[in-house]
Amino acid sequence: MENTKYNVIGKPVPRIDAVSKVTGQAKYPGDLSMPGMLHMKIRFAERPHARILNIDTSKAEAYPGVVAVFTAKDVPVNEYGLQQPDQPVLCGPGSDKPGADVVRFVGDQVALVVAETEEAAAAACNLIEITYEDLPVVTDPREAMKPGAPLIHPERGDTNVCVHYKIRKGDINEGFAQADVIVESEYQLPFQEHAYLQPEAGLAYVDEEGRITVQVAGQWTHTDQKQIAHALNLPLEKVRVIYPAIGGAFGGREDMSVQIVLALAAWKLNRPVKIIWSRRESIIGHGKRHPMYVRARWGATREGKLVAAETEVIADAGAYLYTTNKVLGNATVVHTGPYYIPHVKADVYGVYTNNLPTCAFRGFGAPQGNFIAEMQMNKLAEVLGMDPVEFRLKNALREGQTLAVGTTPPGPISVLEVIQAAAERFGWEQRKRELAQQDPKATLKRGIGFACGFKNVGFSFGYQENCWARIELHGAEKIERVVLHHAGAEVGQGTHTVMVQMAAEAIGVPVEKVTLITHDTLNMGNAGSVSASRMTFMAGNAIRGAAEIALRKWHDEERPAIGEYTYLAPKTTPFTPETGYSMPNFAYAYVAQAVELEVDTETGQVRILRVVSADDVGQAINPQLVEGQIEGAVVQAQGYALLENFIMKDGYVLTDQLSTYLIPTVLDVPEKVEPVIVEVPDPRGPWGARGLGELPYLPLTPAILAAIHNATGIWVNAFPVTPERLWKALHTTQPA
C-alpha cells in the first residue's frame, strides 16, 4: 500500500542504513578501536546474595599486562538506576553508599581489570580473591512478600514490595452480583531474554576537550550521560555519549551495563578502554522481561456483557528496581484489555528478589497485561457459548467509555476496526466451519485463536514527554540541502529512515536532500528514549515544529535557516494511590490477531501455520518498515509463547547460553505472517501517525493458547508451551 496524499510519507523508502549494514561498513560498538587502547574485563558476583567482606586484588595487579584494577572504593558516587539509584556501580567495601558491600544477584559487578590485552584482563580477573559472607536467598516473589522474608534492600525499608498499584473502579461486589458466568484462573508468565545481536560492548576515552566520551549501544543518550556524570561526580558537559550502530535493543539497553565502568576506567587512566561481553556475561548481566504470578476472576452476563474483573498480579522485580514501576504501570492500565468493564478491582505488586533484575522489554508490561485480559475473554466466550470475535465486538471500547483507570482514553479508539480487519482477512467464520469438520481421531489437530491488545504511546503517568529536533536549510535561491539534528537512537527498527522521511515531507524536498546527524549528546537536545513506542510520534512532532521555524526564516531570506524546537506531548497524570484513577497516557494504539496452528498430540509439538495481524498505526510513514516490524514482533512473541524457556534456580541462571536458551530460527517461524495496516489517524500524531514497534507483539501469546485450546480442548495457563509442557497437559485433566 502506498499513500498518494503525501510526497514522501506513506512511501516504502529504502532504509538509509541498509547499504552500510549489509556490506559490513557499519561500525558496531564491538568493532571500535583506537591507538593505545586498553581492554577491560569485569569480575561478576556469581552468587545471588552475599556480603563482601574483603577483596584482594594483589595477584591480579601483578599479572603481566595488567594496568589497573578498580573496586567500589574507586567510584566517586557508587550508585545508579534509571528510576532510582538503588544499584551500586561496583559492589564491595570502600564506598559510602549504604548497602554497596552486598551483591544481590549473580550479575552484580564487583571489580574491573584493565589490561593491555583482553586475554590478560580475563586471566587476571580470575585471580581476584573475594571473601563472601552468604546471605539468605529469596527467589519467589510470593515468598518475598511475606512478613519475615529476607530483605533484599534493608536500607530502603522493611518490605521487599517496591511497587503496589491499585485499581478500584465501581463496586466489585455489585459487579459480580450482576454476573451470570464467572471465570477464575491462575496464570504463570515467564522471564524472557532480549537476545539482541551484539552483546554489550563499548569504547571510552578522554577527547581533546577533556570530555569523557563513551561510545556504546543504548536507547537514550542523554540518560546514559546523566547516570555516568552522576556516578563520576562530574558536570554533564564533561561527559559525552555517542551511539555507533546498535545491534538490537528491545528495551534491554535502557538500563546501564558497561557505560559507567568504561567511563570510570578511561577517566582514571586517561587512555581508551574497550570491552565486549561474552554471550554468557550478557545473559547474566542485563535485565529480563518480568515474570508474573496472576490470579484473575472475571464475570459477564448471559447476554455477553462484561460486568466485573478482579485481578492480582505479583511480578518479580529481581534485585533492583530498573523500570519495574513503569512496566507495572502499563500492565495495570491494560490488564482489562481494550474493553469496557464497569467494575474493576486490581492489585499489582512488584517485589524484590535475588533473581536477575527485570526491565523494559518490547511491550513494556503490555504483553503481560493483555495476556490476562485475552485469556479471560476467550474463556468467558467459551463458557457463554459465544464466538470469541463476536464477544469482543460486543465489549470493545467505544468513544466515551472508561478504562480501568476511570477515564476515557484519548481517541480515536479503533478496537472495532482492528478486530474487524483481522477477522475479515483471516476468513474467521469460514475457517471456523472448516475446522469443525476435522477427524476427532487424528493425531495432528488444527485450531484457530483470536486475541486483541492495546498499549500506550510514551512513558507518561505524569512525566512531561518531550523531544528536541533542529533543522538547517542550506542553499542560495532554493533549498539544496537539509540537515536534521536529532539524538534519537536507531536500534534496528528503521527510526532514522522514518525521521528523514518526516523531515523531507515537512520541508517539501526529496529524501535524498536530507542529511541526518544523530546519536550524540554533544550540541543536541534530549530526544527521549527509543522505547514505549514513542519515537515516531515524538520525533515527528519535534521535526514538524523545527521545520516550520526553519521555513519561516527561509522565507525571510535567512541563510542558512535554522529551526530548533522541543515538542511537549499533552499532559498526563499518575495513578491516584487508592483507586488508580488517572489520565495516564496521551495516546493509545490497537491491534488484533488471528492464528491458525497445528498440534501433534503424540509429541506436543506446535506448528504455527498462519498469523494475521491488524495494527492501527494511524498513518504508515513507511509501509514496508511497518510490515517488517509486524513480522519481527510476531516471531519474537512466538518465541515467548512456545520456545524461550529461561530457567533460574536458587538465584542461578541455568540457561546462560544460546545453546540452552533457544530462540526462534528460520525453521521455527510461522509459515505465513500477514500484516494488515489499519490507518485511523491520531489528530495529535505527526501526519496522524501512532507508535508501532511494540504493538504486534502484544496479543500473539493468548491467540496461540486459544488456538491450542481450539485444537485440543486443553487450556494451558503457563508458558512457554514447550512440547513437554503441552504433552503433559494433554495427558492430565488439570490445566497446565
Side-chain angles (χ1 to χ4, degrees), residues 226-362:
K226 182 179 178 181
Q227 291 187 77
I228 293 167
H230 174 75
L232 301 189
N233 199 25
L234 293 172
L236 275 178
E237 61 269 18
K238 295 297 289 182
V239 176
R240 180 182 182 185
V241 174
I242 303 171
Y243 290 168
I246 299 170
F250 313 115
R253 299 194 196 269
E254 276 195 2
D255 297 282
M256 295 288 95
S257 56
V258 299
Q259 290 92 326
I260 296 174
V261 292
L262 274 174
L264 174 71
W267 178 50
K268 293 277 190 179
L269 300 173
N270 197 24
R271 286 181 64 180
V273 180
K274 179 178 179 177
I275 191 170
I276 303 177
W277 277 3
S278 67
R279 182 61 66 178
R280 180 182 181 275
E281 288 171 332
S282 177
I283 288 177
I284 72 165
H286 78 248
K288 304 290 174 277
R289 188 183 294 281
H290 287 71
M292 296 182 182
Y293 298 90
V294 179
R295 293 196 298 183
R297 182 173 180 247
W298 285 35
T301 66
R302 63 175 57 89
E303 293 78 23
K305 296 295 288 185
L306 293 169
V307 288
E310 184 175 13
T311 310
E312 180 187 65
V313 176
I314 299 175
D316 189 344
Y320 301 101
L321 184 67
Y322 283 33
T323 52
T324 290
N325 54 339
K326 299 297 185 182
V327 169
L328 296 188
N330 289 347
T332 302
V333 171
V334 308
H335 86 279
T336 49
Y339 312 109
Y340 174 64
I341 308 177
H343 305 283
V344 180
K345 178 184 178 184
D347 287 280
V348 178
Y349 300 93
V351 187
Y352 285 129
T353 68
N354 292 119
N355 291 325
L356 269 58
T358 45
C359 65
F361 199 139
R362 194 176 198 163

Side-chain angles (χ1 to χ4, degrees), residues 163-181:
V163 174
H164 180 198
Y165 294 132
K166 300 178 183 178
I167 297 290
R168 302 291 187 267
K169 177 189 179 187
D171 184 326
I172 195 67
N173 294 324
E174 179 183 334
F176 281 117
Q178 297 171 8
D180 297 304
V181 297

